[in-house]
Amino acid sequence: MADIPMSPRSTGTTRGRPLPPPALCGFLLLLMLLFAVSYAVGSAAGPVAPGLHGTGSGGNGGSDGGDDDMPGMSHGSGE
């Protein structure tokens, strides 16, 4: 009778925790590297519009009264 090969699980060696595939680790490392580089480039470039300031504490959703650009157009007020 031929010997039946033992499966890796029955040889007595146990692995603690299964490791993620190396491709996944490489992808996550590359993703973190790209985020770090883009953050560094963005910090070096500075603000996009240095003269641009917020609208303050106005509660009108950020519009500053420029609703007369296109007559007849409402901004979701149900009119």
Side-chain angles (χ1 to χ4, degrees), residues 1 3-4 6 15 22 32 36-37 39-40 42 44 54 56 59 62 67 69-70:
M1 198 181 253
D3 289 332
I4 299 173
M6 298 177 72
R15 287 175 46 179
M32 289 189 322
V37 168
Y39 181 80
D67 292 337
D69 298 3
M70 298 176 66

Side-chain angles (χ1 to χ4, degrees), residues 5-65:
M6 298 177 72
S7 67
R9 191 171 289 187
S10 63
T11 59
T13 59
T14 58
R15 287 175 46 179
R17 292 178 7 198
L19 296 174
L24 178 63
C25 293
F27 173 73
L28 291 176
L29 184 67
L30 181 65
L31 193 64
M32 289 189 322
L33 180 70
L34 286 175
F35 275 120
V37 168
S38 66
Y39 181 80
V41 168
S43 294
V48 175
L52 187 65
H53 298 290
T55 59
S57 61
N60 58 0
S63 63
D64 56 342

